[in-house]
Amino acid sequence: IEELIGEGKSDYTHSIPERVHNIILAASKFDGVLIPKNKIFSFNEAVGDISSLTGYKPAYIIKGGKTVLGDGGGVCQVSTTLFRAALNTGLPIIERHPHAYRVSYYENDAKPGLDATVFSPMVDLKIKNDTPAYILIQTEIDHKNNLLFFRFYGKKDGRQVEISTPLLWDVQPPPAAIYQDDPTLKKGIVKQVDFQAWGGKSSFSYKVIYPDGKIVDDKFYSNYKPWQAVFLVGIAD
């Protein structure tokens, strides 16, 4: 382990305090982690259990086709940042899944398509260390500017990385908001429980040129559904 070989960054501006707490906690699980040569690294294995029992707070997550409060909302900010670091390092991406819809945090500092969601145990982010040495992961939180960094240290082998600017097409507006009567809320109270997002398809190319002339040319696709806002309307006396 001799030098910085790649870095990923994301901006979590506008996150609620519970989400920021979860980002800091999840990122801490990766600080100082080593990835051996030729090892496939699993995000879910490294982060471990995500629940109130391990210190996570309820924040918004996507579950069952809805945006709901769940333990560990914000952990996908961490997986997204790790994904970006792996891309910039030129590592093979073994498994990656986009979010169901466009999440605003991941477009604070990037085009749509540079995100990676996780949901244990089925949905994981996996990368492979095919460099000549161990990789050391170090994470940093810039509290002032709401930035998360993943830095990979190891040994460079001269590979070149080309990542195209993500394209966005088939953009669709969100459906009209829906309002649902809620007998648990008093009359006059309106509570928003889901949030609108524009749909669209995104792709970018990812080319790694190795010193021996080998070329890996991949393409990553994302299909984001248009998402409607949902409001609960109180009807109780």
Side-chain angles (χ1 to χ4, degrees), residues 2-237:
E2 300 176 348
E3 57 202 330
L4 179 69
I5 61 172
E7 178 181 279
K9 174 176 73 75
S10 70
D11 182 334
Y12 57 87
T13 298
H14 307 306
S15 295
I16 61 174
E18 292 82 1
R19 188 175 191 272
V20 175
H21 168 87
N22 293 338
I23 291 169
I24 294 169
L25 177 56
S28 73
K29 306 293 184 181
F30 296 86
D31 194 43
V33 167
L34 290 165
I35 309 177
K37 287 172 57 177
N38 300 314
K39 171 76 171 179
I40 292 178
F41 179 78
S42 160
F43 182 95
N44 286 342
E45 286 181 12
V47 78
D49 180 49
I50 299 171
S51 70
S52 59
L53 297 175
T54 51
Y56 290 91
K57 296 182 178 181
Y60 288 110
I61 62 172
I62 304 171
K63 183 179 181 181
K66 296 181 179 180
T67 305
V68 297
L69 285 172
D71 292 340
V75 170
C76 290
Q77 186 91 37
V78 181
S79 56
T80 290
T81 315
L82 175 64
F83 174 56
R84 294 177 182 180
L87 290 173
N88 291 329
T89 308
L91 301 182
I93 310 298
I94 307 301
E95 180 181 347
R96 172 262 177 181
H97 304 270
H99 285 77
Y101 63 81
R102 291 170 60 185
V103 179
S104 61
Y105 307 113
Y106 310 127
E107 297 181 25
N108 281 335
D109 61 347
K111 298 286 188 181
L114 288 169
D115 63 293
T117 188
V118 290
F119 196 85
S120 185
M122 303 299 293
V123 179
D124 201 354
L125 171 66
K126 293 180 180 178
I127 63 176
K128 183 177 181 180
N129 176 10
D130 67 342
T131 72
Y134 271 71
I135 290 176
L136 168 67
I137 301 176
Q138 291 193 338
T139 61
E140 179 192 345
I141 302 280
D142 179 344
H143 297 275
K144 182 179 179 181
N145 296 301
N146 302 317
L147 299 174
L148 171 62
F149 295 90
F150 266 70
R151 297 189 178 97
F152 290 175
Y153 293 87
K155 183 176 176 61
K156 292 181 179 178
D157 63 1
R159 71 184 63 187
Q160 300 175 47
V161 182
E162 298 175 4
I163 303 170
S164 70
T165 301
L167 300 174
L168 181 67
W169 73 96
D170 196 16
V171 175
Q172 303 170 54
I178 59 174
Y179 295 81
Q180 301 173 340
D181 290 345
D182 187 337
T184 68
L185 296 177
K186 292 189 178 296
K187 287 181 180 176
I189 294 178
V190 178
K191 182 179 180 182
Q192 186 170 8
V193 294
D194 217 331
F195 306 87
Q196 73 173 25
W198 284 68
K201 296 181 174 67
S202 173
S203 72
F204 67 91
S205 61
Y206 174 54
K207 182 185 287 188
V208 181
I209 306 167
Y210 290 83
D212 63 1
K214 173 187 171 186
I215 297 176
V216 176
D217 198 351
D218 285 334
K219 207 159 201 177
F220 288 90
Y221 290 94
S222 303
N223 186 6
Y224 301 112
K225 300 175 184 175
W227 214 257
Q228 67 187 158
V230 179
F231 297 85
L232 300 180
V233 181
I235 57 174
D237 292 328

